Amino acid sequence: MTTKVQTAIFPVAGLGTRFLPATKATPKELLPVLDTPLIQYAIDEARAAGIKRMVFVSHTSKPAIERHVMDDIRLRRELEARGKPRLAEELKEAAFCPKSDDVVFTMQDEPRGLGHAVLCARDHVLDGPVAVILPDDLILGAPCIGEMVEAYDRGHMVATMTVAPEDVSKYGVLAVTGHDGRITHAHGMVEKPAASEAPSRKAVIGRYVLDADIFDALETQAPGAGGEIQLTDAIAKRAQERPISGFSFSGTRFDCGSKSGMLEATLHLAEQDPELADVLYAYAGAHTRTQSAA
Ligand code: G1P
């Protein structure tokens, strides 16, 4: 059995209720930060990590995800005909080609939780540990899943960061036993604990490298928080045999499942683009003036 991470699973079946009405017809994974949809950042991260097979766990109501992810030859030809070969080339590079790339779309029919979504990918993964990437956790600046694949040894690894006490209830939280450089050792994990019951402030962020036996654990996992089959519970279940490590990644994470996170990510990227930075600072300057004049 190989220890190489060959598969990335993207759970993208969710309804995206937090972004309604934007997500009524547009999947939340296609909401853009500047001009790039969230799913594209996730794909680019997995590709940079050298992952071979990409498994999208989607829903039949979200065919637009597949349209975005796969190459669209007709659109490219049209762009070329209109004298836009560079744009056509950029689209080609970002997309998967059915002939040369290893991509699977599978459907999660019912919203039964993240653990269930990962289980839906079971029959489509390659040998060895699997990566799980949640596209609404956008991590910029350094490729998180690449760092994790590099650091992965055995057991289950989750990306982690320290959050404010009032925020622990939004996350899976590690029951910490010790630290070793960027690794936090844990003997358990709790999904969305009340602040008073959280075992630590080390929150799980949406990047995982999981031993393949996670699928056996998920198979028998009873519903947990919110009545859903939680990935957190399945990871925690075998903590005795399968060590859990939290990985402190070096990039900056934006919670793009929330409006404030989307805005922060947009401002962060705008600030790095000379043209958009001018717009940003001009707006901020004008806004400050308006406020002080008021
Ligand atoms: C999911 C996981 C949670 C994790 C979080 C990271 O929750 O269940 O353990 O901390 O992603 O973003 P969700 O945000 O989908 O409710």
Side-chain angles (χ1 to χ4, degrees):
M1 178 64 93
T2 175
T3 56
K4 199 167 169 241
V5 181
Q6 306 194 84
T7 308
I9 300 171
F10 303 87
V12 294
L15 276 175
T17 47
R18 277 197 278 176
F19 271 105
L20 283 168
T23 47
K24 192 175 167 204
T26 305
K28 67 170 176 171
E29 296 78 10
L30 295 187
L31 296 181
V33 177
L34 292 184
D35 58 356
T36 304
L38 288 173
I39 191 70
Q40 190 68 50
Y41 292 101
I43 289 169
D44 293 347
E45 200 181 312
R47 273 181 162 158
I51 291 174
K52 195 169 158 213
R53 176 170 295 179
M54 311 288 176
V55 182
F56 296 86
V57 181
S58 187
H59 188 265
T60 46
S61 64
K62 300 171 90 177
I65 294 184
E66 194 161 347
R67 276 192 62 202
H68 172 79
V69 165
M70 300 310 291
D71 188 24
D72 184 339
I73 300 176
R74 212 176 117 220
L75 174 61
R76 285 198 288 110
R77 297 266 184 279
E78 188 63 38
L79 289 170
E80 279 159 11
R82 292 186 193 186
K84 295 186 171 171
R86 234 180 98 202
L87 187 53
E89 192 52 36
E90 276 172 26
L91 287 183
K92 186 176 178 209
E93 273 171 24
F96 291 118
C97 166
K99 282 193 195 135
S100 51
D101 292 306
D102 190 348
V103 186
V104 177
F105 274 83
T106 188
M107 299 298 138
Q108 182 187 19
D109 297 327
E110 292 169 88
R112 293 176 60 198
L114 177 59
H116 179 255
V118 171
L119 184 58
C120 288
R122 178 175 208 163
D123 291 343
H124 307 287
V125 303
L126 297 172
D127 258 10
V130 297
V132 177
I133 301 182
L134 309 189
D136 53 11
D137 274 329
L138 175 60
I139 299 178
L140 298 173
C144 181
I145 206 71
E147 291 181 345
M148 289 173 72
V149 163
E150 189 94 342
Y152 179 79
D153 182 11
R154 67 201 175 90
H156 300 312
M157 179 180 270
V158 299
T160 187
M161 63 187 265
T162 304
V163 298
E166 62 272 25
D167 287 334
V168 286
S169 61
K170 298 180 193 159
Y171 297 95
V173 178
L174 293 172
V176 176
T177 52
H179 298 274
D180 180 8
R182 301 174 85 169
I183 302 292
T184 298
H185 299 291
H187 65 79
M189 270 165 82
V190 187
E191 181 67 11
K192 303 199 171 81
S196 56
E197 279 159 31
S200 77
R201 290 204 284 128
K202 283 280 179 193
V204 175
I205 302 304
R207 301 290 183 280
Y208 307 75
V209 178
L210 303 172
D211 186 284
D213 76 0
I214 190 68
F215 295 113
D216 289 338
L218 284 168
E219 210 56 92
T220 55
Q221 185 59 53
E228 298 187 333
I229 297 176
Q230 297 294 350
L231 184 58
T232 297
D233 296 342
I235 294 172
K237 193 153 64 174
R238 298 194 183 168
Q240 301 306 322
E241 310 114 74
R242 289 277 170 271
I244 304 172
S245 20
F247 181 81
S248 300
F249 50 96
S250 42
T252 307
R253 176 259 185 176
F254 298 90
D255 174 11
C256 288
S258 74
K259 285 178 211 170
S260 55
M262 273 298 242
L263 179 61
E264 274 167 8
T266 306
L267 295 175
H268 177 87
L269 286 181
E271 202 177 10
Q272 290 168 16
D273 177 308
E275 221 171 284
L276 295 177
D278 285 349
V279 177
L280 180 62
Y281 292 126
Y283 178 84
H287 187 68
T288 312
R289 273 201 300 278
T290 313
Q291 275 197 335
S292 43

